Amino acid sequence: MIHAGGAAAKLQAAGGVRSLAFDASTPLQLSSGEALAPLAVAFETYGALNPDRTNAVLVCHSLTGDQFVASPNPITGRPAWWPRIVGPGRPIDTNRFFVICSNVLGGSMGTTGPGTIAPDGLPHSLRLPAITMADAVRAQAMLVEALGIENLFCVIGPGMGGMQALQWASAYPKRVFSCVTVAAAAKQSAQNIALAELGRQAIMADPDWRNGAYLQHGVRPTRGGSVARTSAQLAGLSAQDVRSRFESARTQERFAFNAEGANDTMRQQQGAGFVDRFDANSYLYLSRAMDGFDLGADFGGRLSNAFQGGATRHGVFSFSSDWRYPPEEGREIARALAAAGAEASFLEITSAQGHDAYMGNEPAFEAALTGFIDASAAARGLALNGGGA
């Protein structure tokens, strides 16, 4: 049992997944007014916490990610999802930082979500209350507090992870020394909402969805889940890459309109494997939480009000070919931070890799991120010599 700062949780480990299990006496208060208990938050850590407990970095993952940011996933066998950024000698150097990455609330890798077994012995499925990005951050805060960490040196995340990072800086300004937002926005765009709705409709139209109760029936909505994944991943490519792949598929298939998708190269490439590792109902809950994210709306419609009075240092990064979260949305965050008097920097990285550039080989991004982390570490009084392979 871990006790720290009023939180009490039992550490559990199974199949390579560690989680903190909070019992009914420590419910998670949701934005809807409901309370969620019991709650489990699965997480992974890298590096060591220093004696002053001032070197903790929280990494928030994107929509379909997980907690295995710098090591292979023991369940799926997939490699680490951000190895160029988190690890020994990387911009988030695990030789000097204690890195925490948790599976998001509503996810499907150990944290309480729709696939989790409820107290009645059945999966929550659609009985799980609606969740928000603020709820996800409150669950992370419970984890961080239970680990005995009062203040985070940095919160960083791409996409949906960037939304969580901004929420952290707004909700806990005295507990976040620095915040890095990568290829994200402070408000979900209409285009993203439309794409997510198509994915949700595809899942719910799958006859195996069974009104969300597919686990009880021993099936999964694999076709709908594959379409949802394809929609999300195509949005992660650059426009040029999408056209190139389409042209390649068209050349190979010559109008093979096959409902079974046997010759649908693009869909096979993008959706294969996803439906086996990611719960379809988690996609419904998390994509809906992203669609509802509008940080400024909670502060009278002015985003700058979300950061008033905070002392967090901000680094905002965008990629030129990202049409999911284009650079203009990063500039909007930076303008709001400047208006709030926050110490902030914004950098648009020229890249042809679209939204997914944050996971690719982007030396300019890695160098700039290293510079931001090193400068923040110096301001925090932490040891330098990080970054660079």
Side-chain angles (χ1 to χ4, degrees), residues 61 103-116 131 278-279 282 286:
H61 65 72
N103 184 227
V104 71
L105 178 70
S108 56
M109 195 52 67
T111 295
T112 299
T116 303
I131 61 172
F278 196 83
D279 183 61
S282 285
L286 294 179

Side-chain angles (χ1 to χ4, degrees), residues 4 54 76 90 103 158 161 168 172 181 190 203 215 217 231 234 241 342 360 367 389:
T54 56
T76 66
R90 309 313 303 178
N103 184 227
W168 260 98
Y172 305 105
T181 308
I203 290 172
L215 293 179
H217 294 276
S231 174
L234 288 179
D241 200 9

Side-chain angles (χ1 to χ4, degrees), residues 128 146 244 260:
L128 187 75
S244 175
E260 296 297 322

Side-chain angles (χ1 to χ4, degrees), residues 372-389:
F372 177 84
I373 294 297
D374 282 352
S376 297
R380 182 68 162 170
L382 298 175
L384 294 178
N385 302 321

